[in-house]
Amino acid sequence: MINFLSAVDSLATEPVKNAAADAAEQTMSLWELFNAGGWLMWILLALGGIAIFIFVERFVAIRKATGVDMHFMNRIRDYISEGKIRSAVELCRKTDTPIARMIEKGIERIGRPVSDIQTSIENVANLEVSKLENGLPFLATIAGGAPMIGFLGTVIGMVQTFMEMQAGGGAVELATLAGGMYVAMVTTVGGLVVGIPAYFGYNYLVARIEKLIFQMEANSIAFMDILNQPVK
């Protein structure tokens, strides 16, 4: 009786073991998945590396640009009210931020018409914002283009699969068809893996730049108020 039960248990567990062994054999590593996607995966890998570089480089630059001393404008006000124009310029150069360079240009134009000072400040502000946005269009292009490249790989893989079906006279096993579709979908996954983070990264950097623009406008108004203060 015991031998019979043991035989039944072995028969019941044998399909499970075989299924587990088959699953282990069918499991693919990330490198194998990458190679299965074909040559387009190398393009997606390059785009992913470029996207990471642009995001990190712009993040550091924008973070540095927004690091303005809270008492910066107060010190500028004190220097200008005391007539220490040179000290105000040196403070701006020492601070070395877009806002400081914008205020520095305004200080250098003191004595000219207010409209000229305002125009010079706006010109510097536009140049600084343009510098901060350097590389962002390419990041946006990667965010939109990577999924399309991935979809292109899927379409190419499907076309190859159907061509193999036609070459075989239409008699293709389901496992072969499923395998071809599986490989084709790898590029779509790769495109989304690159495109989605690039999309969120782009919007995050744009939001940070818009916040800096608001700070630049506020400091510009504060500087013009300093110049328009009545002389005591």
Side-chain angles (χ1 to χ4, degrees):
M1 184 65 178
I2 296 176
N3 293 334
F4 176 75
L5 293 176
S6 299
V8 172
D9 291 338
S10 62
L11 291 174
T13 56
E14 185 175 357
V16 177
K17 293 180 179 179
N18 293 335
D22 294 339
E25 292 178 356
Q26 295 176 359
T27 301
M28 298 178 66
S29 64
L30 292 177
W31 178 249
E32 291 174 341
L33 284 174
F34 181 85
N35 289 328
W39 59 273
L40 286 176
M41 293 297 292
W42 290 101
I43 297 178
L44 292 174
L45 180 63
L47 292 178
I50 295 173
I52 293 173
F53 172 79
I54 293 175
F55 176 81
V56 173
E57 191 271 335
R58 287 294 87 195
F59 176 80
V60 173
I62 295 171
R63 184 177 181 180
K64 180 181 178 181
T66 55
V68 179
D69 185 5
M70 298 298 295
H71 302 288
F72 174 75
M73 289 307 300
N74 293 332
R75 297 176 65 184
I76 292 294
R77 180 184 293 105
D78 294 339
Y79 284 138
I80 293 177
S81 62
E82 295 173 2
K84 299 179 180 179
I85 304 301
R86 186 61 184 174
S87 298
V89 172
E90 291 178 355
L91 175 61
C92 293
R93 293 176 179 176
K94 181 179 179 181
T95 305
D96 191 24
T97 61
I99 294 177
R101 286 188 286 271
M102 178 184 69
I103 300 301
E104 179 186 355
K105 182 61 67 174
I107 294 174
E108 292 175 349
R109 295 295 187 272
I110 291 179
R112 298 186 180 183
V114 176
S115 60
D116 292 346
I117 298 176
Q118 184 68 35
T119 301
S120 63
I121 291 176
E122 291 177 354
N123 290 337
V124 174
N126 291 333
L127 290 174
E128 294 296 334
V129 172
S130 178
K131 292 178 182 178
L132 291 176
E133 291 178 345
N134 185 30
L136 292 187
F138 195 74
L139 184 61
T141 301
I142 293 176
M148 297 179 65
I149 293 175
F151 181 69
L152 174 63
T154 299
V155 173
I156 293 175
M158 295 298 296
V159 170
Q160 292 176 349
T161 299
F162 286 113
M163 289 178 63
E164 292 177 358
M165 291 177 59
Q166 183 179 11
V172 180
E173 296 182 357
L174 182 60
T176 303
L177 179 61
M181 296 176 62
Y182 168 76
V183 172
M185 296 299 291
V186 171
T187 54
T188 298
V189 174
L192 293 175
V193 168
V194 174
I196 292 175
Y199 175 77
F200 283 106
Y202 169 79
N203 285 295
Y204 174 78
L205 294 177
V206 168
R208 291 290 300 269
I209 292 177
E210 290 178 352
K211 182 179 179 180
L212 177 60
I213 292 174
F214 175 78
Q215 293 177 353
M216 296 173 72
E217 292 176 350
N219 282 272
S220 174
I221 294 173
F223 178 74
M224 298 307 298
D225 290 342
I226 293 173
L227 297 182
N228 292 326
Q229 287 180 353
V231 179
K232 297 182 181 180

